[in-house]
């Protein structure tokens, strides 16, 4: 009898210990899964707990317990919580993977679209750009006027003469518009290049115009038309909406060829480029002061009136 009682007590102790171990194991699983859920929510919804989804785990809804009715065991409760938590983790993980897949698809499609667009633009530029086009270097930094006076006698500074420009028809492709502009052939290469560049500029074909004007500046730097071409090069940038490049072209014309026939015009348009760049009024007034100081006697009446009007608007002293 005593042996039977000892065996029964040992059974109860072993059974109780096993249940306690099982409960502790389940609680460890719950804790681990809840930590993982919080980590996933922090990854998917950064910025604070206010953006987290409310957990779907809650104590089971039960009716009022009637005295004497057996209650659910702790192990069964923990098992239910673990199952709900695992299901939520699986659902959230699937949503994250779907979102990552859509992002990868978007990046792939965008990269393909960008490469295709870049290739089409390069092909179009290569087809339309004239040969031997040399870009104008942008020196950057703050534009400063050179000190000192201009040596030699000043040439009268007037607005550029207006050679007859043949404007192409509005319809048709870019190549047809360029072809519609007459190319002069007088035998004077720098003169023909400048006149052709001017006609392209008047037709608002600015890249093609710049290609011709740059040839004059580079190939015939000592020709009288070099000053005209460099000045009109700046105007083509200005008219195309690139005032920073225009300012560099105008300043280079004044700095490199101060006695050129369009050096004064370049200073005048340099001030306009600085105005479009929203430079301080004091800097623009300095350009006008340099213009009137160096070329005042040679300026045309129209340019003098324009300078005075702009100085008045800026309240230059």
């Amino acid at each position: 009898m005593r042996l039977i009682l000892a065996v029964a007590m040992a059974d109860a102790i072993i059974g109780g210990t096993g249940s306690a171990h099982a409960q502790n194991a389940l609680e460890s699983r719950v804790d681990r899964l809840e930590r993982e859920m919080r980590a996933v929510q922090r990854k998917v919804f950064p910025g604070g707990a206010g953006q987290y989804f409310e957990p779907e785990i809650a104590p089971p809804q039960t009716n009022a317990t009637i005295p004497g009715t057996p209650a659910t065991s702790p192990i069964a409760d923990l098992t239910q919580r673990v199952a709900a938590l695992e299901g939520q983790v699986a659902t959230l993980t699937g949503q994250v993977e779907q979102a990552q897949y859509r992002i990868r698809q978007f990046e792939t499609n965008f990269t393909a679209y960008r490469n295709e667009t870049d290739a089409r633009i390069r092909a179009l530029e290569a087809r339309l750009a004239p040969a031997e086009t040399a870009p104008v270097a942008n020196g950057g930094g703050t534009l400063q006027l050179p000190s000192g006076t201009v040596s030699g006698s000043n040439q009268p500074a007037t607005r550029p003469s207006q050679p007859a420009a043949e404007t192409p028809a509005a319809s048709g492709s870019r190549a047809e518009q360029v072809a519609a502009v007459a190319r002069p052939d007088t035998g004077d290469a720098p003169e023909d290049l400048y006149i052709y560049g001017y006609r392209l500029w008047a037709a608002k074909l600015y890249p093609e115009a710049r290609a011709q004007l740059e040839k004059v500046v580079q190939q015939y730097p000592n020709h009288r038309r070099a000053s005209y071409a460099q000045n009109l090069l700046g105007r083509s940038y200005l008219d195309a909406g690139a005032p920073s490049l225009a300012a560099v072209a105008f300043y280079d014309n004044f700095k490199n060829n101060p006695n050129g026939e369009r050096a004064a015009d370049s200073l005048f348009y340099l001030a306009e480029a600085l105005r479009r760049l929203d430079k301080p009024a004091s800097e623009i007034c300095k350009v006008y002061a340099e213009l009137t100081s160096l070329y005042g006697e040679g300026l045309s009446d129209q340019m003098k009136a324009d300078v005075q009007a702009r100085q008045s608007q800026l309240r230059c002293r």
Side-chain angles (χ1 to χ4, degrees):
M1 192 65 182
R2 289 178 180 175
L3 179 61
I4 294 174
L5 181 58
V7 171
M9 290 178 64
D11 251 353
I13 292 171
I14 294 171
T17 304
S19 298
H21 283 309
Q23 182 173 349
N24 291 336
L26 285 174
E27 287 178 350
S28 298
R29 290 178 62 196
V30 171
D31 291 340
R32 177 178 58 80
L33 290 172
E34 287 177 343
R35 286 197 301 270
E36 291 179 358
M37 173 59 68
R38 286 194 293 271
V40 171
Q41 287 184 324
R42 284 195 298 271
K43 182 69 174 178
V44 178
F45 308 105
Q51 295 181 354
Y52 294 170
F53 283 128
E54 291 296 330
E56 298 177 359
I57 305 166
Q61 297 290 335
T62 58
N63 296 327
T65 304
I66 301 174
T69 303
T72 305
S73 68
I75 294 178
D77 290 341
L78 288 174
T79 302
Q80 185 177 3
R81 290 176 61 194
V82 169
L85 190 54
E86 287 177 336
Q88 187 179 4
V89 170
T91 300
L92 188 56
T93 302
Q95 292 174 348
V96 170
E97 291 177 349
Q98 291 177 4
Q100 290 176 342
Y101 174 76
R102 286 194 292 268
I103 290 173
R104 288 195 299 270
Q105 289 293 103
F106 173 79
E107 291 176 345
T108 301
N109 294 337
F110 177 77
T111 301
Y113 170 78
R114 183 182 59 188
N115 293 339
E116 180 183 358
T117 302
D118 290 345
R120 292 175 61 187
I121 291 175
R122 285 193 297 268
L124 183 62
E125 290 176 344
R127 185 168 67 251
L128 296 180
E132 301 179 9
T133 300
V136 175
N138 187 351
T142 303
L143 291 174
Q144 297 179 350
L145 292 175
S147 59
T149 59
V150 178
S151 60
S153 59
N154 294 334
Q155 298 292 336
T158 59
R159 296 298 178 89
S161 58
Q162 302 281 330
E166 299 181 12
T167 304
S171 60
S173 66
R174 182 85 174 187
E176 291 172 345
Q177 293 179 12
V178 173
V181 178
R183 184 189 293 268
D185 186 13
T186 64
D188 187 343
E191 184 73 17
D192 290 345
L193 284 173
Y194 170 73
I195 297 300
Y196 184 46
Y198 179 88
R199 291 176 178 178
L200 291 168
W201 168 78
K204 302 185 186 303
L205 300 169
Y206 300 125
E208 294 81 2
R210 288 195 293 269
Q212 303 304 315
L213 297 171
E214 287 166 356
K215 289 180 182 179
V216 178
V217 175
Q218 295 170 4
Q219 297 177 14
Y220 306 97
N222 298 322
H223 195 277
R224 63 183 292 267
R225 284 300 191 187
S227 179
Y228 283 80
Q230 182 70 23
N231 181 70
L232 194 57
L233 183 64
R235 293 192 63 182
S236 71
Y237 279 121
L238 196 62
D239 294 341
S244 59
L245 293 176
V248 174
F250 290 135
Y251 178 64
D252 284 347
N253 194 36
F254 166 74
K255 179 185 67 174
N256 298 330
N257 192 7
N259 291 322
E261 296 181 46
R262 289 296 175 264
D265 294 79
S266 289
L267 271 184
F268 178 84
Y269 287 111
L270 172 60
E272 175 63 18
L274 295 178
R275 184 189 67 82
R276 297 191 188 183
L277 288 169
D278 295 325
K279 294 296 182 180
S282 59
E283 188 173 341
I284 302 174
C285 290
K286 182 180 179 181
V287 177
Y288 285 131
E290 193 81 359
L291 172 62
T292 55
S293 172
L294 299 178
Y295 304 102
E297 296 300 324
L299 297 178
S300 66
D301 293 338
Q302 181 62 52
M303 185 174 287
K304 289 179 182 178
D306 291 342
V307 171
Q308 290 176 358
R310 285 160 173 76
Q311 286 177 322
S312 177
Q313 292 173 356
L314 295 170
R315 298 180 180 178
C316 300
R317 296 180 180 179

